[in-house]
Amino acid sequence: MLELASFALDIGNDFSKIRELGWEYILLFTLRYYRDTQLSETEIIDKTKETFGFENIPPFIVKEALRRLLVKKDIIEQEKRYKLTTQGINRITKILTKHNEVKSKAEDIFIKIFKKNIKRNPSKKEIDIVKRCLYSFLGEVFERWGSLSAKLLLTHSMDRSIPRCEVILDNAVSDIRDENLKEVIKLTIKQLLEKASKEETIARYISSIAQTYYLIQILNLDPGLKKLQKESLANVTVFLDTNIIIPLLCEEHEAHDAVRDVIKYTSQLGIKLSITTHTKEEFLRRLEYSNHLYSYYKVEILGLTNLGTKRVKQLVDDVFLKTFLKRKEKHAGYSWNVFLSEMKNFTELLKDKFGILLDDSEISLENEEFHKVLEVVKTANSEKIESAVRHDAINILFVDRLRQNDAEYELIGPRYWFLTRDRTLIFAETTLLGKDLPVSVFVSDWFDMVLPFISADVSKTLTELLKLQLIIDSGNGIDAEQVLLGISVLGPLINDPAISIDTIRKIVGSTYVQRYVENVRKLEPTELLDKAKRDFLEKEREKLRQEIHKEFRELLEKERERHKRKNILIVGLLIVLIILAAYVIYLHFGILVSLATIIGPIIIIAKVIGVLGTVWNTLVGLYNKILKWLHST
């Protein structure tokens, strides 16, 4: 709503930049508190929880803020531990000093007014109460301005019948039982606001509280706003493409970590995640191809060493096989059948691990509209196989019809989306089908859309949050004078019952959708360039495959040559042994001839031949056993 207020009042603040500055300040404040200690990312998150009372701070927000602070040289990093630099200490000290000086002076004025009205020295408890009432009053004032901006955006006008600030004052002091104290506090707040247009100190003080309120909203910390978001986003369903499911389940996929984080944070926001039966079928069809590939190379894969496994992962461009081999490295007994069984039951895995459900709704496909979508999906990417074209067209048409049947808007826009990693689908819908808003959304664009809703959890009330030192350097963030537009002199405020939650949802949703559409249109001119890059990379990849295959064949050929030389050497040694044996036998029988001349030369020759035959058979058997052993190794 604050972003809408900014737009309606033409404030022109860069809220994404302010969001970044806000988290940078939070980390600088935490590191300043522990300035003598180097802290890891985990320790910084824990210390921030202690300092500000935040819970479940998203690690990626802290990581990105630390990266920016390193670039700005506000912190240094040694072995993944962080500490403020002198520049960082000076920066945060300057901001805090300026803020505390304004706060101290303004609160002194406020308490003096209070003392004058109560006509005695108030107790510490009474001073705390009057301060709380002031913060509560200002918090509601800022919320009303958010509603005002929504009204302006919706109707380009606002009603003249606006209630006076007395209504909000009554709400701020409603829990005080002492009627006299209640009236004194109301009078004190009114007199402080009357001075705001005359005394710069009070105006700057209200400005600093306004800035804190803005940061609470921009960082999405307001409990009331988070409740509204949860109710709205619970009505949103995102259907996932196969190219989202495969990286999610296969840790060896290059996009695994990114996709897992997007699914994690989307789910945490309460958005429902689903797949269609057509996506289930395409996943299983893709898995069957990998099963065929494994069966073809089964003998070679099972006989691989660890070094060989790494080599195959480089050669084989199949994410299922790579994931299986990675898991097998960790668990030697892990088999392909176990892996295949897990993946065939992937819908149960998705449900148990990620809360992703299977939607088995059917859709009529034999119509002109389907064939038109089929044609544009194929045109957008002519290299896509027919089964993938059909799958994409069915999902686009399915989600499109869901939007037609339920045209309500939520904070994120339409209630139904198709999340994909294929930009050609967005191109097909916007350019070829001429849609203003495609059902397909690219994964990184989706994350940008939900990013404003991702934040830490808080258990504090808005009034308690307003008391936190959540501030940024006014020179780099919110324009205080413009924020105070209409607030320094608090006249009549809007409280229009016509501005319903549904109205605000639709306005905010339209804003996010408009940004997404603009981003999509910016991407369209580069689509052909992207395709050319993909074609070039695929050709380079094919060259690499051929080079690796050639290298692999050369290695195998060298191995065969080595075995061949070994066999020749063994045969040569056997022949030498045979010759030596024959020579020994010849000498032996030569002696027998000289001692027994009565035996005829025929008998001697027969014996020599017999002995040679026996030796030959023995050596041949030994040779065959050696060859068999060599083949087995």
Side-chain angles (χ1 to χ4, degrees):
M1 285 190 294
L2 283 166
E3 295 188 42
L4 292 171
S6 172
F7 176 77
L9 300 174
D10 197 24
I11 294 175
N13 290 305
D14 184 346
F15 285 91
S16 58
K17 179 184 177 184
I18 294 171
R19 188 178 293 115
E20 292 177 355
L21 290 171
W23 278 109
E24 287 173 23
Y25 167 80
I26 288 170
L27 297 191
L28 286 175
F29 189 92
T30 301
L31 288 168
R32 178 180 181 271
Y33 194 80
Y34 300 93
R35 68 174 70 184
D36 297 326
T37 308
Q38 287 186 326
L39 301 176
S40 65
E41 281 186 29
T42 304
E43 289 170 337
I44 290 172
I45 291 174
D46 291 338
K47 299 301 182 185
T48 303
K49 290 178 183 178
E50 295 175 11
T51 305
F52 289 92
F54 299 160
E55 296 291 337
N56 301 322
I57 301 172
F60 80 90
I61 289 179
V62 174
K63 185 184 290 293
E64 283 299 303
L66 289 173
R67 180 187 60 78
R68 292 192 300 271
L69 290 172
L70 281 170
V71 172
K72 294 177 179 178
K73 298 182 179 179
D74 286 329
I75 62 173
I76 55 172
E77 182 260 335
Q78 292 178 342
E79 298 179 354
K80 296 185 178 181
R81 302 184 73 84
Y82 302 88
K83 188 177 181 180
L84 284 178
T85 60
T86 302
Q87 175 181 301
I89 293 172
N90 292 338
R91 178 184 170 192
I92 189 64
T93 302
K94 180 181 178 182
I95 295 173
L96 285 173
T97 300
K98 185 178 179 181
H99 172 75
N100 291 334
E101 182 182 346
V102 170
K103 180 181 178 182
S104 177
K105 288 180 179 179
E107 287 186 350
D108 284 345
I109 295 173
F110 184 55
I111 299 305
K112 284 179 182 178
I113 298 172
F114 181 52
K115 285 181 179 180
K116 181 180 178 181
N117 291 333
I118 204 171
K119 297 177 181 178
R120 59 178 170 82
N121 286 327
S123 66
K124 184 179 182 303
K125 182 179 179 181
E126 288 173 327
I127 291 174
D128 289 340
I129 290 173
V130 73
K131 286 182 180 179
R132 175 177 59 78
C133 290
L134 175 63
Y135 281 108
S136 178
F137 170 77
L138 290 175
E140 189 169 347
V141 167
F142 301 145
E143 285 187 312
R144 296 297 178 93
W145 274 100
S147 297
L148 171 61
S149 68
K151 179 71 173 178
L152 286 171
L153 273 178
L154 182 65
T155 64
H156 304 290
S157 64
M158 67 182 198
D159 292 340
R160 297 297 179 186
S161 55
I162 303 172
R164 299 177 65 82
C165 65
E166 193 73 29
V167 176
I168 301 176
L169 277 173
D170 287 340
N171 291 338
V173 299
S174 60
D175 61 341
I176 299 175
R177 294 183 179 180
D178 187 330
E179 290 298 325
N180 181 58
L181 180 60
K182 184 183 293 187
E183 291 303 317
V184 168
I185 291 175
K186 287 169 62 176
L187 178 61
T188 301
I189 293 175
K190 283 181 179 179
Q191 290 177 348
L192 179 75
L193 297 174
E194 288 170 0
K195 285 180 174 287
S197 60
K198 301 172 184 177
E199 293 199 30
E200 183 183 357
T201 299
I202 298 175
R204 289 173 63 192
Y205 173 57
I206 295 175
S207 172
S208 70
I209 299 175
Q211 186 183 88
T212 298
Y213 175 77
Y214 263 60
L215 281 174
I216 290 169
Q217 303 300 322
I218 292 168
L219 299 178
N220 198 26
L221 299 173
D222 182 357
L225 187 59
K226 289 172 80 72
K227 182 181 178 183
L228 169 64
Q229 289 171 2
K230 189 173 182 180
E231 292 173 356
S232 175
L233 296 179
N235 297 320
V236 177
T237 300
V238 176
F239 290 89
L240 309 178
D241 198 350
T242 316
N243 57 37
I244 297 291
I245 299 299
I246 291 177
L248 185 62
L249 294 178
C250 296
E251 56 270 25
E252 281 299 285
H253 196 288
E254 59 184 3
H256 171 73
D257 291 340
V259 167
R260 180 196 59 200
D261 287 346
V262 171
I263 295 300
K264 170 187 169 183
Y265 290 115
T266 301
S267 179
Q268 286 180 358
L269 290 173
I271 296 172
K272 293 188 282 289
L273 299 168
S274 295
I275 62 167
T276 63
T277 53
H278 303 283
T279 298
K280 176 184 177 181
E281 290 168 4
E282 188 182 46
F283 181 93
L284 293 175
R285 189 162 50 244
R286 177 64 183 79
L287 180 63
E288 186 54 39
Y289 168 77
S290 297
N291 185 37
H292 173 75
L293 202 61
Y294 175 82
S295 300
Y296 189 78
Y297 291 108
K298 179 178 179 180
V299 176
E300 289 83 354
I301 290 174
L302 291 177
L304 291 170
T305 61
N306 286 338
L307 183 62
T309 299
K310 291 179 180 178
R311 191 67 174 165
V312 167
K313 283 165 66 177
Q314 293 175 344
L315 290 169
V316 179
D317 186 18
D318 186 272
V319 69
F320 286 114
L321 280 179
K322 288 181 178 181
T323 301
F324 163 68
L325 291 171
K326 182 67 176 180
R327 295 181 186 179
K328 190 172 176 59
E329 284 180 25
K330 297 179 180 178
H331 309 285
Y334 192 70
S335 68
W336 175 257
N337 288 336
V338 172
F339 176 79
L340 195 63
S341 176
E342 290 174 352
M343 288 298 171
K344 283 184 176 179
N345 293 306
F346 78 101
T347 54
E348 293 301 316
L349 280 175
L350 293 176
K351 180 181 177 181
D352 295 340
K353 292 183 68 175
F354 306 102
I356 300 170
L357 303 178
L358 175 66
D359 188 317
D360 55 3
S361 304
E362 293 297 328
I363 182 172
S364 175
L365 301 176
E366 298 304 322
N367 55 60
E368 184 179 342
E369 185 182 9
F370 171 67
H371 291 292
K372 183 178 180 181
V373 176
L374 201 69
E375 182 181 348
V376 298
V377 171
K378 181 66 176 178
T379 302
N381 187 353
S382 59
E383 297 177 359
K384 189 176 291 186
I385 61 174
E386 290 302 323
S387 60
V389 171
R390 184 177 178 82
H391 163 268
D392 294 342
I394 290 172
N395 277 282
I396 288 173
L397 196 57
F398 176 72
V399 177
D400 217 7
R401 288 189 181 175
L402 287 175
R403 283 189 179 180
Q404 292 171 15
N405 295 332
D406 185 357
E408 291 296 321
Y409 266 52
E410 299 298 334
L411 289 172
I412 201 70
R415 289 183 170 180
Y416 302 98
W417 296 88
F418 182 53
L419 187 64
T420 182
R421 293 178 57 248
D422 183 358
R423 284 199 182 276
T424 66
L425 297 184
I426 294 96
F427 177 76
E429 289 192 76
T430 55
T431 302
L432 303 182
L433 287 176
K435 289 184 182 179
D436 291 329
L437 178 62
V439 301
S440 307
V441 55
F442 193 69
V443 63
S444 61
D445 296 328
W446 173 258
F447 190 70
D448 288 340
M449 289 170 69
V450 299
L451 185 59
F453 303 106
I454 300 171
S455 66
D457 294 329
V458 291
S459 56
K460 297 178 182 293
T461 64
L462 177 59
T463 302
E464 290 171 331
L465 288 169
L466 284 174
K467 295 178 182 178
L468 293 175
Q469 289 185 309
L470 281 174
I471 49 178
I472 56 176
D473 184 357
S474 59
N476 294 317
I478 301 167
D479 188 324
E481 291 182 5
Q482 290 179 321
V483 168
L484 282 172
L485 179 63
I487 292 179
S488 60
V489 182
L490 287 170
L493 299 167
I494 189 167
N495 185 20
D496 190 342
I499 302 179
S500 66
I501 288 177
D502 289 337
T503 299
I504 295 171
R505 284 178 181 172
K506 187 166 185 177
I507 296 167
V508 177
S510 299
T511 303
Y512 282 108
V513 168
Q514 184 60 34
R515 290 179 188 170
Y516 171 57
V517 171
E518 288 172 0
N519 289 337
V520 167
R521 287 172 179 166
K522 288 176 184 176
L523 288 169
E524 284 180 19
T526 62
E527 184 63 34
L528 294 177
L529 290 176
D530 290 342
K531 184 177 183 304
K533 289 178 183 177
R534 286 200 304 273
D535 292 343
F536 173 76
L537 290 173
E538 183 57 37
K539 289 177 182 178
E540 292 299 307
R541 192 175 184 180
E542 183 59 33
K543 288 180 184 177
L544 179 61
R545 279 200 204 99
Q546 291 175 0
E547 289 174 3
I548 293 175
H549 187 62
K550 179 181 178 182
E551 180 185 343
F552 196 63
R553 281 188 305 179
E554 289 175 354
L555 287 172
L556 289 175
E557 193 62 36
K558 288 178 182 178
E559 191 66 17
R560 290 195 188 99
E561 287 294 327
R562 190 174 66 83
H563 281 292
K564 185 176 179 181
R565 288 195 297 271
K566 187 189 293 184
N567 291 341
I568 292 172
L569 179 62
I570 292 171
V571 171
L573 289 173
L574 288 174
I575 293 173
V576 171
L577 287 172
I578 292 170
I579 294 171
L580 288 173
Y583 180 68
V584 170
I585 293 169
Y586 169 76
L587 292 177
H588 172 70
F589 281 99
I591 295 170
L592 290 178
V593 169
S594 63
L595 296 174
T597 54
I598 57 172
I599 301 173
I602 295 175
I603 295 174
I604 294 172
I605 293 170
K607 287 182 178 181
V608 171
I609 292 171
V611 173
L612 286 174
T614 302
V615 172
W616 172 259
N617 289 334
T618 302
L619 292 174
V620 168
L622 179 62
Y623 171 73
N624 288 332
K625 287 181 179 180
I626 291 171
L627 281 180
K628 186 176 181 181
W629 174 77
L630 285 172
H631 285 300
S632 66
T633 57

